[in-house]
């Protein structure tokens, strides 16, 4: 995928802006949850689902931003980004499946399911430098 400093296309610049627009509230909510006790009162109550939705909405938005980048880009960028997205998804699912079976059969500690999102982007970052062609 293109680096932030080399966003020369309108679709690339929109992607960067959308990413910042979605990730700023995500980070703000997560930091607030980790550093304050402001949300402790909603844990385990129906309002907790509202908090879960508020944290999940920017994640959904970021996925949409990536798909919009693919839709708005030329064929080459679309294909390379799609390949990177697919490989990263497969890597994240494989790692999550392995860990899940480790929890079930080997006594591995439980990890929350929301970790699949940062795992996906870590896999994307690892795979992207090796996927540079549309073939």
């Amino acid at each position: 995928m293109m680096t932030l400093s080399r966003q020369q296309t309108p679709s690339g610049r929109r992607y960067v802006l959308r990413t910042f627009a979605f990730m700023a509230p995500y980070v703000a909510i997560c930091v607030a949850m980790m550093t304050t006790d402001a949300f402790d009162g909603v844990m385990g109550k129906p309002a907790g689902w509202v908090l879960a939705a508020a944290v999940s909405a920017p994640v959904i938005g970021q996925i949409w931003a990536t798909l919009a980048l693919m839709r708005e880009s030329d064929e080459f960028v679309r294909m390379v980004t799609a390949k990177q997205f697919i490989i990263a998804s497969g890597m994240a699912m494989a790692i999550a499946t392995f860990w899940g079976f480790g929890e079930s059969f080997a006594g591995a500690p439980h990890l929350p399911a929301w970790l699949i999102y940062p795992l996906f982007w870590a896999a994307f970052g690892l795979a992207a430098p090796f996927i540079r062609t549309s073939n």
Side-chain angles (χ1 to χ4, degrees):
M1 187 125 153
M2 303 166 281
T3 62
L4 291 178
S5 62
R6 295 175 23 198
Q7 296 301 327
Q8 300 299 322
T9 64
S11 61
R13 286 189 294 274
R14 282 191 300 271
Y15 172 75
V16 170
L17 290 173
R18 289 170 179 158
T19 295
F20 285 124
F22 287 118
M23 289 300 98
Y26 175 77
V27 170
I29 294 169
C30 288
V31 168
M33 287 189 310
M34 290 184 263
T35 60
T36 71
D37 57 357
F39 300 106
D40 291 351
V42 301
M43 302 299 175
K45 297 179 182 169
W49 288 106
V50 175
L51 179 59
V55 179
S56 299
V59 170
I60 295 164
Q62 176 56 40
I63 294 167
W64 169 82
T66 305
L67 296 174
L69 171 68
M70 288 188 260
R71 182 185 68 242
E72 297 169 357
S73 296
D74 62 32
E75 290 180 12
F76 176 76
V77 172
R78 182 180 307 126
M79 181 58 82
V80 170
T81 305
K83 284 176 64 176
Q84 293 167 341
F85 201 88
I86 292 165
I87 296 297
S89 296
M91 289 170 60
M93 286 188 285
I95 292 167
T97 300
F98 170 77
W99 193 263
F101 283 126
E103 287 182 19
S104 296
F105 304 128
H110 175 71
L111 294 176
W114 59 263
L115 285 173
I116 192 73
Y117 180 68
L119 176 61
F120 165 77
W121 285 111
F124 193 97
L126 291 172
F130 300 103
I131 303 170
R132 307 304 291 167
T133 70
S134 60
N135 294 331

